[in-house]
Amino acid sequence: MGLAKGLSITLRHMLRKSVTQQYPEVKPPLPPRSRGVIALVEENCTSCMLCARECPDWCIYIDSHKETIPAPEGGRPRQRNVLDRFAIDFSLCMYCGICIEVCPFDALFWSPEFEYAEGDIRDLLHEKDKLASWVETVPLPPAHDPGAEPPKELAATSRRPPRPGEGVTTAAPDVAGAGTA
């Protein structure tokens, strides 16, 4: 009984037309927002090191230096971090996405690119120029549901009646702050 059932299943699959995708020529359809590789928007990175500190695999390497910005007249000079190196070792990465979630400046995103295999494991250390090239493939976030209620901030401002003269100033405000225009 068991042998006949196994042979019938085998025969059924043999007679069915095979569906083979010719992978390098035909790309497989990916689900929306699929995780492939981490992309970097270098302009948004402030070298805060949150991603590197929160990474459970310690696969993110960041080097930066401080740069002094000249002060406008009457102010003091400011300092800012300048990103020198941002690298991710994908041979260590477990694709958990913690680095993307903790980034407060939206510098890291998931890209659906998955074809970045290398012949040597040491070549899976990708620097910021390679990570920045994957930003172009990052899909746009899904649109808001048209039936959803508007954000609370917008709902609160639309319910409040406009105050007289709100947004329009006709004269300079009082220096002492006692009166308004």
Side-chain angles (χ1 to χ4, degrees):
M1 177 77 174
L3 179 65
K5 184 176 181 182
L7 287 174
S8 68
I9 291 173
T10 304
L11 184 63
R12 233 180 320 165
H13 283 281
M14 281 180 42
L15 297 177
R16 215 183 276 167
K17 183 180 178 186
S18 64
V19 181
T20 304
Q21 291 183 351
Q22 302 300 320
Y23 166 63
E25 293 82 28
V26 179
K27 305 286 185 196
L30 296 175
R33 310 296 292 169
S34 61
R35 293 180 176 189
V37 71
I38 298 168
L40 169 73
V41 179
E42 189 177 344
E43 297 82 32
N44 292 355
C45 184
T46 62
S47 305
C48 67
M49 305 287 283
L50 277 173
C51 55
R53 279 184 276 165
E54 294 296 325
C55 180
D57 292 330
W58 293 76
C59 65
I60 300 174
Y61 309 104
I62 301 174
D63 292 329
S64 65
H65 69 276
K66 293 210 181 274
E67 184 177 89
T68 303
I69 301 171
E73 191 171 324
R76 65 179 181 92
R78 305 276 183 192
Q79 286 190 340
R80 70 178 179 114
N81 288 332
V82 177
L83 186 65
D84 293 328
R85 179 178 186 229
F86 191 103
I88 298 178
D89 190 352
F90 286 106
S91 65
L92 297 175
C93 182
M94 65 179 182
Y95 304 93
C96 63
I98 293 174
C99 57
I100 296 170
E101 291 177 20
V102 299
C103 182
F105 302 104
D106 290 333
L108 298 173
F109 294 94
W110 282 116
S111 170
E113 292 294 317
F114 60 92
E115 298 171 321
Y116 56 94
E118 298 289 343
D120 189 3
I121 196 168
R122 292 172 289 197
D123 294 334
L124 285 171
L125 178 69
H126 294 299
E127 299 290 333
K128 65 181 177 179
D129 56 341
K130 181 70 173 173
L131 298 174
S133 69
W134 283 319
V135 170
E136 300 162 356
T137 62
V138 173
L140 294 173
H144 293 292
D145 185 16
E149 61 184 55
K152 294 176 183 160
E153 295 85 4
L154 289 178
T157 57
S158 64
R159 282 192 301 244
R160 182 178 55 84
R163 296 181 196 147
E166 183 178 28
V168 179
T169 56
T170 55
D174 190 10
V175 177
T180 58

